[in-house]
Each structure stands twice: as structure tokens, then as C-alpha cells.
């Protein structure tokens, strides 16, 4: 719309009057709608785009991460994806279990086990050369990793953290799409490695400017209004885009 024109945009924190409701017709192919920008354009995370296999979602408590996960899961179902796994240590998505092939795993021991099985399955996929899309969502992954056992306590088994890393690195070319969400915007959790492995970074309101810089390399997310007011950095867009996230009750 604004191609060839130059203009100055000023973003400020203003609470939107209306929620952006989940809109099935905003889905095109495997381009999962994340929200709409200030011009009303649909902002997407495209599972079919090889440069955007995985997404990191950050934000303070109550900023909109789980709402974003919920709409992403529903859009994924609509897109026809039959394999959706949600690791949900906070028991927020149990209602989605069983909906069109969605599986929700809550207990930390089960999360560890399922993640290990997932990696085994993925290794089999390498041989069989299957690359049907499979979506893996991990809410509060930093907490889950912190609660899980270390590899050495598991004997020869790999820890949750190791398995998640393998899944993300190997899975990108095998049809796995991973969304990992966390409240903790510290450099310990959001490392340079993490950012390289998760090319899409979605950031809702964070407490401090430093948090925004950790997630997006730029300030801004500390000024967001909450309630799904977000910023997305993705190879698919030349700049960081401000968006309003979808809400599905
Ligand atoms: N996109 C949105 N549109 C409208 N309201 C929203 C949106 N996202 C979040 N909210 C409001 O904010 C509340 C908290 O959102 P959400 O549960 O997603 O937070 P969260 O980031 O997951 O927090 P926590 O870290 O505590 O789990 C929601 O219950 C809803 O009322
Ligand atoms: Mg949440």
C-alpha cells in the first residue's frame, strides 16, 4: 500500500478500543495470522516459508502470550495440520486436548518423556524422508526447562533442554514448526543461539527497555499497552512490525 512513499510513523502506547477477534478468513495456506498491523494488514508467521521455521514469544505476565498460542493453535488446525503438540506446564490449554489432533501435555515428567519421543520420531523421519508439517508449542519453556531433570539424573537420556535444542535445529528441514514462549527475557534464556534458531521473535509488553533489547535488539516493547499489543521481528518483514494479536475466547 505504501510502497514508494516515505513517511514517518510514530508508535505510542494506546489501548485499543476493540479486541481483534479470531478471523478464519485471515488464514491463507500455511501463513498463520499472528495479528494485524496499524494499517489493518494481516501479519503472519508462514509455516511454508523455510526461513521462518520457529518462533519465540516473549512478554511479561498478562501481556498476551497464551492468547497468541491459543489463536496459533486454532489457525494451525484450520490450516489442516493434524499433528499439534502443546506442552503446557501451566494447565491453560487442557480444553484444546483432542481437538483435531491437538495433544496437550501438562506434567513435567510427561513433557520430558514426550519431548524425548518427539526427537526419536524425528530421527526416524530423517530416514523415511517425511516432511509433513508438525507444530510443537511450548508455553513457559524456560520454567519447564528449569523444572526438568538434568541429563545426568536421567541416566543416559537427554534433558528436556537438549532435546528441545535438537528438535529445533534438526526439525526445521523436516517440517517441524516450534513456538516457544517465555516470560523471562533474560540473556540466559534468550541467548544468541536461541535467536538464531528461532528466526521469528514475537514480543509483547515487557517490564523494561533492557528486556525489549534482549528479545528484539531494539527498545519498544516496554512501551506496549499489553492485551496482545505486540512487536514482531521476522525475516519475512524488513522491519519490526507492531501488531495487535488475535483473540479467541
Ligand atoms: N490479543 C489480545 N486481545 C485482547 N485481550 C488480550 C489479548 N491478549 C491478551 N489479552 C488479555 O490479557 C489477558 C492475559 O493474557 P495471556 O494469558 O495471554 O497472558 P500471558 O502473557 O500468557 O501471561 P502469563 O505469563 O501470566 O501466562 C487475557 O486473559 C486477556 O484478557
Ligand atoms: Mg501464559
Amino acid at each position: 500500500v505504501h510502497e514508494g512513499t516515505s513517511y514517518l510513523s510514530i508508535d505510542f502506547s494506546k489501548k485499543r478500543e476493540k479486541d481483534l477477534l479470531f478471523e478464519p478468513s485471515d488464514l491463507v495456506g500455511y501463513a498463520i495470522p499472528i495479528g494485524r498491523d496499524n494499517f489493518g494488514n494481516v501479519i503472519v508467521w508462514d509455516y511454508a516459508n523455510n526461513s521462518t521455521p520457529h518462533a519465540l514469544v516473549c512478554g511479561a505476565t498478562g501481556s498476551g502470550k497464551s492468547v497468541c498460542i491459543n489463536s496459533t493453535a486454532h489457525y494451525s488446525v484450520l490450516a489442516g495440520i493434524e499433528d499439534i503438540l502443546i506442552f503446557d506446564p501451566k494447565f491453560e490449554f487442557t480444553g484444546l486436548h483432542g481437538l483435531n489432533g491437538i495433544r496437550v501435555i501438562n506434567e513435567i515428567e510427561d513433557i520430558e518423556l514426550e519431548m524425548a519421543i518427539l526427537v526419536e520420531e524425528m530421527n526416524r523421519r530423517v530416514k523415511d524422508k517425511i516432511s509433513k508439517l508438525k507444530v510443537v508449542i511450548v508455553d513457559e519453556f524456560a520454567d519447564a526447562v528449569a523444572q526438568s531433570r538434568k541429563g545426568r539424573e536421567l541416566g543416559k537420556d537427554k534433558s528436556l533442554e537438549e532435546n528441545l535444542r535438537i528438535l529445533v535445529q534438526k526439525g526445521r528441514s523436516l517440517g517441524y514448526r516450534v513456538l516457544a514462549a517465555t516470560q523471562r527475557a533474560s540473556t540466559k534464556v534468550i541467548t544468541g543461539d536461541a535467536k538464531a534458531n528461532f528466526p521469528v521473535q514475537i514480543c509483547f509488553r515487557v517490564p523494561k527497555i533492557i528486556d525489549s533489547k534482549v528479545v528484539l535488539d531494539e527498545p519498544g516493547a516496554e512501551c506496549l499497552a499489553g492485551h496482545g499489543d505486540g512487536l514482531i521481528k521476522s525475516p519475512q518483514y524488513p522491519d519490526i512490525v507492531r501488531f495487535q494479536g488475535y483473540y479467541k475466547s
Side-chain angles (χ1 to χ4, degrees):
V1 198
H2 14 277
E3 223 165 283
T5 61
S6 60
Y7 58 89
L8 176 71
S9 102
I10 300 167
D11 279 325
F12 54 95
S13 147
K14 176 176 180 292
K15 198 161 174 272
R16 272 136 174 115
E17 278 98 58
K18 274 200 289 175
D19 290 345
L20 172 61
L21 295 180
F22 183 85
E23 179 47 65
S25 66
D26 282 353
L27 176 77
V28 179
Y30 291 119
I32 302 302
I34 297 298
R36 291 211 194 132
D37 70 8
N38 291 336
F39 304 96
N41 302 311
V42 178
I43 300 302
V44 301
W45 168 26
D46 191 354
Y47 292 160
N49 181 337
N50 286 333
S51 66
T52 58
H54 312 307
L56 202 61
V57 177
C58 267
T61 177
S63 60
K65 300 181 297 296
S66 294
V67 168
C68 176
I69 286 176
N70 186 50
S71 65
T72 299
H74 279 94
Y75 277 126
S76 301
V77 166
L78 264 183
I81 293 166
E82 288 160 355
D83 241 333
I84 303 168
L85 196 54
I86 305 180
F87 293 117
D88 171 30
K90 279 167 57 175
F91 291 77
E92 283 184 85
F93 303 105
T94 42
L96 294 181
H97 186 80
L99 174 80
N100 293 66
I102 295 183
R103 283 171 62 223
V104 181
I105 318 286
N106 301 110
E107 302 288 352
I108 188 68
E109 291 81 9
D110 297 335
I111 291 177
E112 284 176 335
L113 187 66
E114 282 293 331
M115 187 64 90
I117 293 172
L118 205 61
V119 168
E120 271 174 37
E121 225 178 65
M122 178 177 71
N123 289 332
R124 278 202 299 276
R125 275 189 172 205
V126 180
K127 285 190 222 114
D128 303 342
K129 297 206 167 61
I130 314 169
S131 59
K132 226 167 125 196
L133 284 173
K134 180 159 182 147
V135 174
V136 181
I137 294 173
V138 194
D139 197 9
E140 301 297 351
F141 78 90
D143 290 346
V145 161
Q147 281 167 32
S148 66
R149 290 165 296 172
K150 300 282 165 277
R152 95 183 94 77
E153 292 166 43
L154 292 167
K156 64 182 171 50
D157 294 339
K158 293 195 172 62
S159 68
L160 178 64
E161 188 175 14
E162 287 166 317
N163 277 327
L164 179 60
R165 190 183 316 118
I166 296 169
L167 177 74
V168 162
Q169 290 176 348
K170 254 186 162 176
R172 60 184 298 160
S173 58
L174 295 165
Y176 289 81
R177 296 295 174 259
V178 181
L179 181 158
T182 182
Q183 283 182 21
R184 298 203 220 165
S186 78
T187 47
K188 259 196 180 151
V189 173
I190 316 293
T191 59
D193 253 19
K195 283 204 269 190
N197 287 326
F198 292 84
V200 179
Q201 286 117 34
I202 295 169
C203 194
F204 294 107
R205 187 180 51 74
V206 290
K208 297 199 191 102
I209 186 168
I210 176 77
D211 305 320
S212 181
K213 286 182 178 170
V214 168
V215 182
L216 301 167
D217 303 306
E218 279 184 39
E222 75 287 356
C223 299
L224 296 168
H227 299 272
D229 188 11
L231 295 170
I232 180 170
K233 187 175 180 182
S234 162
Q236 194 161 358
Y237 300 107
D239 280 313
I240 289 179
V241 183
R242 178 153 177 213
F243 69 92
Q244 173 62 29
Y246 288 91
Y247 187 71
K248 187 175 198 311
S249 51

